[in-house]
Amino acid sequence: MKSSKLVSLSEAVSRLVPDGASVVMGCALEALIPFAAGHEMIRQKKKSLTLIGPISDILFDQLVGAGCVEKIRAAWVGNVITGSAYNFRRAVEGGNLKMEDHSNLTLAMALTAGAMGVPFMPARTALGSDLFRTNSGLKTITCPFTGNILTAIAALLPDVAVVHVQRADVFGNGHIWGNLGVTKEACLASRHVILTAEEIVDSQVITGDPNRVIVPGFRVSAVVHAPWGAHPSPVPGHYNRDHQAFIDYRNRSRTVDGFEEWKKMWVDPLRDSRTYPELLGKERVKALALKHHLPSVPVDYGY
Amino acid sequence: MKSSKLVSLSEAVSRLVPDGASVVMGCALEALIPFAAGHEMIRQKKKSLTLIGPISDILFDQLVGAGCVEKIRAAWVGNVITGSAYNFRRAVEGGNLKMEDHSNLTLAMALTAGAMGVPFMPARTALGSDLFRTNSGLKTITCPFTGNILTAIAALLPDVAVVHVQRADVFGNGHIWGNLGVTKEACLASRHVILTAEEIVDSQVITGDPNRVIVPGFRVSAVVHAPWGAHPSPVPGHYNRDHQAFIDYRNRSRTVDGFEEWKKMWVDPLRDSRTYPELLGKERVKALALKHHLPSVPVDYGY
Amino acid sequence: MTENYTLPQLMVAAAAREIADHEVVFVGMRLPLLGFLLAGSTHAPHAVGVYELGVVRDTLSPEPIMTMGDLPNLTGACWLADTIDIMSLLQKGLVDISFIGGAQVDRFGNLNTSYIGGFQSPATRLPGSGGACDLACLAKRHIIVMTHEKRRFKEKVDYITSPGYGDGAGWRERVGLPRGGPRAVITTLGVLRFDPMTCEMVLVSVRPGVSVETVSFHTGWPLKIAPDLSQTPAPTQAELAMIRRFDPEGYWTGSDKNL
Amino acid sequence: MTENYTLPQLMVAAAAREIADHEVVFVGMRLPLLGFLLAGSTHAPHAVGVYELGVVRDTLSPEPIMTMGDLPNLTGACWLADTIDIMSLLQKGLVDISFIGGAQVDRFGNLNTSYIGGFQSPATRLPGSGGACDLACLAKRHIIVMTHEKRRFKEKVDYITSPGYGDGAGWRERVGLPRGGPRAVITTLGVLRFDPMTCEMVLVSVRPGVSVETVSFHTGWPLKIAPDLSQTPAPTQAELAMIRRFDPEGYWTGSDKNL
């Protein structure tokens, strides 16, 4: 029989995210951001990581603040509803962080190239912009058919993709729904995939609807049970976005000391992701839970 | 309010498939082949069509036999379980059909380029093959980053994609499940999209599960109710593949006269796509219907 | 005069007016998101919103949203898909209009949201492009929405995150951009458009109570003024009511803090 | 000797033996499909099957299937996706083994499934590549399965649909192919492999009851014979029982008609 890939968050991160690894996260943009996994990287004091992702919405800022990051390859690093990411700003302005500037499209196409197994993708974006000056993975080429000037975007091939899903089986088959961002491309482009899942379910729930599988189990290296593992970002079917947490983080992270306080409160106490809902507290859990349930109409995979 | 795009098959084909049009069909490969729409093109005596698709499994052969086709851009034209497509063979061997040879990957990437709005895609396939001699949309290029020799595949931009789906609303939002082939890319690459649907359903069924939508309604030009509209190919959730029909077609189409007989029996009598099940007969409908129903577990799109 | 609206409300209303019915709108964050919702609930009910997260919707969300990633924005969407699908609509030229904010802009509408003070040793690192560069390159037209200050309206931006008209007429074609360019700049002081011949920014309307001199003073180059300069229309009561419905807490439009 | 198996059954068994456990197999149509099912139910239970339609599965379908598009092949799959996703696994080098049939093959394993007699005015137009060209270019290794006849085993094929080793050693690297090449040819008369130095086909086993002379006679070039030539193992009773389970009507393996 197939063997289970279910491990603890601590084991997944310690085995698959060595110092110096390149990690793609926050692939669904504002939703399903794997905060639990990122916080475990902070607890394990990872060093010299390269972070890859479209916008990250404060997760990258937290890893930068904790000193885990050497380089970021991203389109945007900030706090969606408040603006600046302060650790990120301090690090770049202090010359302590390498930056490769993408747009959302160049990043998506770079991961698509990695997923498809080609060394680059041609695009019509970014021409005339200064992204070419702060991203060595962009060059201009001429189309062999039309003569158009195009942007060639070098493939991104992360060491590991960390993806939060709603439900997964122990073999690594996971369901995701909602807006998908660059999740599929990131999984296929990466050497390893870690799934953190709100729920671990019977395999038949997953293989009973194979169109919702984001990446086949044989491409996944580890599955972790991490309820509320994407908080404060939203998880369709599970919980709403915790806007207040993003505002609180902005306020705390304005100073280095404030960030340390935030970290002491939200990252350090946890040794096992299963206790996160306790840390969050019953009231907040209740406030963020779905109030209106809208189940999809089933489809038939019979024969 | 939004206006309905629901029209008869006859109107959709007459309005959106003029003589000389390029039409992509059979996008899910062996499943969901839009035979009803293809047969309507035969009844309307379309001329000089360019057909685009990965394998087509006898649909292209039927249109060639009926004299509708000037050119085929495809990876494979035949009958999956019996081999040769006889009208196609006769036409190519007689010098009456232009052929552009693709592989499944070059065709998928050509449509992907069309969908993405770029003039070509780089690939690592087909190098050293003679596809380059019978497809002017393939050239070799050098990767600007790695120096690798690559195949550049020119974008395909069909005039119209004809796609059979399981269920759609009248606004053009359609659900598809099962293996998807190149359906999404074909829809996005094409100027117009015609959906033929097993069922027309309330819009809330579709927008209640937006991850199953194959292409957003604003990109769709016409929706047609065509029950059993993909027979004899299989439709997940609705009916199994009618193997005997493919074998019968092989036997009939071995000669020009045999093909004409087949056409008289299966294409000419129909005036309305909704009456096809009558032509098929109750027994066959029953034999092909699903015997084992396996509904998916719903997911929650609430908030 | 006493104004019964905030500056963000004025800008949201001005942004909404740029959207025509039946258009495909690439919806961004903050004020442009509200502008799209306002347009969709007033003069442009058939506008389709596409969101870079992987969302297409042509109806209002069942509850107010703070950002496009909020779950009500997924409920009843007509497509939930991949970012590349949405960006491909843009790259193919199927997006009619989009909106971009910026920290710095020059007279040709080139925008900087990346580095203040040069990228080698920046004084300030801003969040970056996100989708803005793509919108500026690939939408049929885009609208710039930003605070009007001299330090932001610069003779030359420190870094081009999102190309406008480069150094003037013909530049976009020369660098290979397939279409588009900025159509208007909606600011805290008025609205500017671009001269079709020179591609230079021209002031076409000023906010009620603001003088041309004030606008010029806050602009870092000698500002061109349209001969038929008008007043930016104040938001109507109906528009204000609708904006309050979409931003009930006033997080975005209650004061000027979040511009 | 009396054989208690058909030629297709022999070939299916030989094809199955090429698959190792835990491998990712790009599953084709006809005999290779049966070979994969046989391997998965005998020595390679952890093999993963990927199908160009957009299917990945690591369990047997709940009912026998005639072709990969049959609905039982979707039931319980671990991924239903786009063709480009499956082909991308291949292009990235994640597919260990695949199988291809052919109408013509030459000594370097180049295959023709497109045009007999030159593409300008072909005597016979065959269906074409399908995914075969991609498998031949991009799988880590591929296996050719075909009828052994002189008109098919040609000094030079009329058209290269699916590249083998071109004109010999070093050719694949020269044209830019990233990996792979044919590993074996399973025919109605025996099994051939490729000399690692010259990349030329070498007969390594013959079917029970067939002589080397017969194989040479049916080959269109002076055929190299392995010094340790053996006999192709006949399918075991257990293998035959399993093949009959997957092809209960004997459509593919009941006689030699569908080779």
Side-chain angles (χ1 to χ4, degrees):
Chain A
M1 265 307 293
K2 285 183 287 184
S3 48
S4 167
K5 294 174 177 175
L6 187 66
V7 297
S8 69
L9 182 57
S10 150
E11 184 185 333
V13 168
S14 112
R15 180 154 56 86
L16 297 166
V17 189
D19 287 351
S22 60
V23 189
V24 58
M25 292 193 285
C27 301
L29 284 76
E30 293 183 18
L32 293 158
I33 301 173
F35 279 99
H39 293 181
E40 179 63 23
M41 292 174 207
I42 294 176
R43 282 190 293 274
Q44 293 189 16
K45 299 187 167 50
K46 297 294 175 189
K47 293 285 168 212
S48 308
L49 299 179
T50 292
L51 301 184
I52 302 169
I55 63 162
S56 104
D57 208 1
I58 81 175
L59 176 58
F60 287 3
D61 190 68
Q62 296 170 357
L63 283 149
V64 168
C68 304
V69 187
E70 181 178 309
K71 183 174 182 179
I72 290 183
R73 314 170 84 168
W76 196 89
V77 182
N79 183 322
V80 165
I81 62 161
T82 71
S84 272
Y86 293 100
N87 288 315
F88 169 69
R89 276 191 57 173
R90 282 188 286 267
V92 176
E93 292 162 17
N96 300 314
L97 181 67
K98 292 180 203 156
M99 185 68 203
E100 184 177 279
D101 287 286
H102 276 277
S103 72
N104 280 343
L105 180 52
T106 67
L107 188 89
M109 292 187 88
L111 288 170
T112 300
M116 285 192 181
V118 293
F120 82 96
M121 291 276 280
R124 311 204 70 177
T125 191
L127 293 160
S129 80
D130 284 336
L131 297 190
F132 283 84
R133 301 170 72 187
T134 55
N135 184 337
S136 60
L138 303 179
K139 292 189 179 184
T140 54
I141 55 165
T142 304
C143 174
F145 297 102
T146 63
N148 289 330
I149 302 169
L150 301 169
T151 300
I153 304 167
L156 279 169
L157 296 162
D159 294 321
V160 57
V162 184
V163 170
H164 193 71
V165 301
Q166 283 98 336
R167 58 193 186 195
D169 67 20
V170 298
F171 307 117
N173 302 298
H175 274 184
I176 192 171
W177 65 95
N179 58 285
L180 305 179
V182 298
T183 311
K184 185 168 87 168
E185 296 83 356
C187 288
L188 295 175
S190 300
R191 200 145 64 90
H192 293 291
V193 178
I194 299 174
L195 295 188
T196 64
E198 286 294 324
E199 292 188 278
I200 303 295
V201 297
D202 190 281
S203 196
Q204 292 189 350
V205 172
I206 306 298
T207 60
D209 192 353
N211 283 109
R212 283 207 207 277
V213 171
I214 190 70
V215 65
F218 81 89
R219 291 284 287 114
V220 172
S221 298
V223 182
V224 172
H225 186 209
W228 292 81
H231 173 270
S233 71
V235 173
H238 290 266
Y239 43 87
N240 284 285
R241 194 172 191 278
D242 188 347
H243 300 298
Q244 193 56 48
F246 285 91
I247 293 169
D248 291 346
Y249 179 79
R250 186 263 316 263
N251 295 339
R252 296 265 184 189
S253 62
R254 277 203 172 108
T255 66
V256 172
D257 288 351
F259 172 73
E260 286 302 323
E261 279 169 36
W262 172 87
K263 192 163 87 68
K264 275 206 189 76
M265 197 181 305
W266 288 102
V267 177
D268 296 345
L270 280 194
R271 288 284 157 243
D272 186 327
S273 62
R274 278 159 206 268
T275 67
Y276 190 76
E278 292 166 34
L279 183 69
L280 206 53
K282 274 189 189 147
E283 255 178 63
R284 204 154 189 177
V285 160
K286 197 177 155 195
L288 296 171
L290 304 195
K291 309 292 178 297
H292 306 270
H293 293 281
L294 295 163
S296 61
V297 176
V299 304
D300 192 343
Y301 285 97
Y303 54 94
Chain B
M1 265 306 294
K2 286 183 287 184
S3 49
S4 167
K5 294 174 177 176
L6 187 66
V7 297
S8 69
L9 182 57
S10 150
E11 184 186 332
V13 168
S14 109
R15 180 155 55 86
L16 297 166
V17 188
D19 289 348
S22 61
V23 188
V24 58
M25 292 193 285
C27 300
L29 284 75
E30 294 183 17
L32 294 158
I33 302 173
F35 279 100
H39 293 179
E40 180 62 24
M41 292 174 207
I42 294 176
R43 281 189 293 275
Q44 292 190 17
K45 297 188 168 52
K46 297 295 175 190
K47 293 286 168 209
S48 308
L49 300 179
T50 292
L51 301 184
I52 302 169
I55 65 162
S56 104
D57 208 359
I58 80 175
L59 176 59
F60 287 4
D61 190 68
Q62 296 170 359
L63 282 149
V64 169
C68 304
V69 188
E70 181 178 308
K71 184 175 182 178
I72 290 182
R73 313 171 84 168
W76 196 88
V77 182
N79 182 322
V80 165
I81 62 161
T82 71
S84 273
Y86 293 100
N87 289 316
F88 169 68
R89 274 191 58 174
R90 282 188 287 266
V92 177
E93 292 162 17
N96 300 314
L97 182 67
K98 291 180 205 156
M99 185 69 204
E100 184 176 279
D101 287 286
H102 276 276
S103 72
N104 280 344
L105 180 52
T106 67
L107 187 89
M109 292 186 87
L111 288 170
T112 300
M116 286 191 180
V118 294
F120 82 96
M121 291 277 280
R124 310 204 69 176
T125 192
L127 293 160
S129 80
D130 284 336
L131 297 191
F132 284 83
R133 302 170 71 188
T134 55
N135 184 338
S136 61
L138 304 178
K139 291 187 180 187
T140 53
I141 55 165
T142 303
C143 175
F145 298 101
T146 63
N148 289 330
I149 303 169
L150 302 170
T151 300
I153 304 167
L156 280 169
L157 296 162
D159 293 321
V160 56
V162 183
V163 170
H164 193 71
V165 301
Q166 283 99 333
R167 57 193 187 196
D169 66 19
V170 298
F171 308 116
N173 302 298
H175 273 184
I176 193 170
W177 64 94
N179 57 285
L180 305 179
V182 298
T183 311
K184 185 169 88 168
E185 296 83 356
C187 287
L188 295 175
S190 299
R191 201 145 63 91
H192 293 291
V193 178
I194 299 174
L195 296 187
T196 64
E198 286 294 324
E199 293 187 279
I200 303 296
V201 297
D202 190 282
S203 196
Q204 292 189 349
V205 173
I206 306 297
T207 60
D209 192 353
N211 283 110
R212 284 207 207 278
V213 171
I214 190 69
V215 65
F218 80 87
R219 291 283 288 116
V220 172
S221 299
V223 182
V224 172
H225 186 208
W228 292 80
H231 173 270
S233 72
V235 173
H238 289 266
Y239 43 87
N240 284 286
R241 194 173 190 275
D242 188 346
H243 300 299
Q244 193 57 49
F246 285 91
I247 294 169
D248 292 346
Y249 179 78
R250 187 261 315 263
N251 295 339
R252 296 265 185 191
S253 62
R254 277 202 172 107
T255 65
V256 172
D257 288 349
F259 172 73
E260 286 301 323
E261 280 170 35
W262 171 86
K263 192 164 88 65
K264 277 207 188 77
M265 198 180 305
W266 288 102
V267 178
D268 296 344
L270 275 197
R271 287 284 152 253
D272 185 327
S273 61
R274 288 167 297 183
T275 64
Y276 187 75
E278 290 166 32
L279 184 67
L280 207 52
K282 273 187 189 147
E283 256 179 61
R284 204 153 190 177
V285 160
K286 196 176 156 197
L288 296 171
L290 304 194
K291 309 293 179 295
H292 307 270
H293 294 281
L294 295 163
S296 61
V297 175
V299 304
D300 192 344
Y301 285 95
Y303 55 94
Chain C
M1 63 173 287
T2 40
E3 293 165 359
N4 69 341
Y5 52 86
T6 65
L7 286 185
Q9 287 169 337
L10 176 81
M11 293 164 82
V12 166
R17 274 178 226 118
E18 298 290 327
I19 298 171
D21 199 11
H22 294 280
E23 286 199 312
V24 177
V25 185
F26 202 107
V27 187
M29 301 187 288
R30 303 162 183 239
L31 302 190
L33 170 57
L34 294 171
F36 170 70
L37 296 176
L38 177 58
S41 58
T42 54
H43 64 280
H46 302 90
V48 174
V50 304
Y51 301 76
E52 60 200 351
L53 308 172
V55 180
V56 174
R57 66 180 303 134
D58 57 9
T59 54
L60 288 176
S61 58
E63 271 190 8
I65 54 175
M66 178 104 155
T67 169
M68 57 172 133
D70 283 345
L71 298 191
N73 202 37
L74 310 186
T75 301
C78 41
W79 201 28
L80 289 175
D82 301 318
T83 288
I84 194 83
D85 297 324
I86 305 301
M87 302 310 280
S88 293
L89 294 174
L90 181 68
Q91 192 160 236
K92 262 183 94 68
L94 296 170
V95 169
D96 296 302
I97 182 169
S98 70
F99 297 87
I100 311 180
Q104 292 182 335
V105 68
D106 69 18
R107 70 176 75 190
F108 296 114
N110 302 298
L111 274 176
N112 178 14
T113 54
S114 301
Y115 298 93
I116 304 291
F119 61 84
Q120 266 112 354
S121 53
T124 305
R125 168 68 213 204
L126 304 163
S129 161
C133 172
D134 309 313
L135 294 167
C137 290
L138 300 168
K140 286 188 196 162
R141 68 186 193 277
H142 67 274
I143 311 296
I144 297 166
V145 181
M146 60 189 284
T147 304
H148 208 132
E149 299 172 356
K150 200 168 205 125
R151 65 185 181 105
R152 295 174 183 276
F153 280 65
K154 301 254 296 179
E155 177 70 38
K156 193 168 161 27
V157 296
D158 298 344
Y159 181 98
I160 299 181
T161 311
S162 305
Y165 295 107
D167 58 13
W171 180 87
R172 288 181 72 92
E173 295 73 11
R174 273 204 309 283
V175 299
L177 291 171
R179 70 186 77 86
R183 181 65 60 94
V185 186
I186 295 169
T187 82
T188 38
L189 298 180
V191 175
L192 306 96
R193 295 190 184 274
F194 293 84
D195 183 306
M197 300 304 294
T198 65
C199 297
E200 186 176 333
M201 216 183 277
V202 178
L203 182 69
V204 299
S205 78
V206 289
R207 169 161 70 87
V210 168
S211 71
V212 170
E213 292 66 32
T214 303
V215 182
S216 290
F217 177 80
H218 287 289
T219 301
W221 65 86
L223 182 63
K224 296 261 195 324
I225 315 295
D228 54 346
L229 183 77
S230 63
Q231 203 174 67
T232 312
T236 65
Q237 289 308 315
E239 285 170 335
L240 287 172
M242 203 57 87
I243 292 171
R244 284 189 204 103
R245 190 177 129 198
F246 299 129
D247 186 25
E249 312 284 324
Y251 184 84
W252 299 114
T253 58
S255 71
D256 302 345
K257 76 174 161 61
N258 289 306
L259 285 178
Chain D
M1 64 172 286
T2 41
E3 294 165 356
N4 68 340
Y5 52 85
T6 65
L7 286 184
Q9 286 169 337
L10 176 80
M11 293 165 82
V12 166
R17 274 179 226 119
E18 298 290 327
I19 299 171
D21 200 11
H22 294 279
E23 286 199 312
V24 177
V25 186
F26 201 107
V27 187
M29 302 187 287
R30 304 165 182 234
L31 302 190
L33 171 57
L34 294 170
F36 170 70
L37 297 175
L38 177 58
S41 58
T42 55
H43 63 280
H46 303 90
V48 174
V50 303
Y51 301 75
E52 60 200 352
L53 307 172
V55 179
V56 174
R57 65 180 303 134
D58 58 9
T59 54
L60 289 176
S61 58
E63 270 191 9
I65 54 174
M66 179 103 156
T67 169
M68 56 172 133
D70 283 345
L71 297 191
N73 202 39
L74 310 186
T75 300
C78 40
W79 202 28
L80 290 176
D82 300 319
T83 288
I84 195 83
D85 297 323
I86 305 300
M87 301 310 280
S88 293
L89 294 174
L90 182 69
Q91 193 161 236
K92 263 184 93 70
L94 297 169
V95 169
D96 295 302
I97 182 169
S98 71
F99 297 87
I100 310 178
Q104 292 182 335
V105 68
D106 68 18
R107 71 176 74 190
F108 295 114
N110 301 298
L111 275 176
N112 177 13
T113 53
S114 300
Y115 298 93
I116 303 293
F119 62 83
Q120 268 111 353
S121 52
T124 305
R125 169 69 212 204
L126 303 163
S129 160
C133 171
D134 308 313
L135 294 166
C137 290
L138 300 169
K140 286 189 195 161
R141 67 187 195 278
H142 67 274
I143 311 295
I144 296 165
V145 181
M146 60 188 284
T147 305
H148 208 133
E149 298 172 358
K150 198 165 207 131
R151 67 186 179 104
R152 295 175 182 274
F153 280 65
K154 300 253 297 180
E155 178 68 40
K156 192 166 163 26
V157 296
D158 298 343
Y159 182 98
I160 299 181
T161 312
S162 304
Y165 294 106
D167 59 12
W171 180 87
R172 289 180 71 92
E173 295 74 10
R174 272 203 310 282
V175 299
L177 291 171
R179 71 187 76 86
R183 181 64 61 94
V185 186
I186 295 170
T187 82
T188 39
L189 299 179
V191 175
L192 305 97
R193 295 190 184 275
F194 293 84
D195 183 306
M197 300 305 294
T198 64
C199 296
E200 185 176 334
M201 216 183 275
V202 178
L203 182 69
V204 299
S205 79
V206 288
R207 167 163 70 87
V210 167
S211 70
V212 171
E213 291 68 31
T214 301
V215 181
S216 290
F217 177 79
H218 287 291
T219 303
W221 67 84
L223 181 64
K224 295 262 196 323
I225 315 294
D228 56 346
L229 182 78
S230 64
Q231 204 173 68
T232 313
T236 66
Q237 288 309 314
E239 285 170 335
L240 287 172
M242 203 57 87
I243 294 171
R244 282 188 205 105
R245 192 178 126 198
F246 298 129
D247 185 25
E249 312 284 323
Y251 184 84
W252 299 115
T253 58
S255 71
D256 303 345
K257 76 174 160 59
N258 288 308
L259 285 178

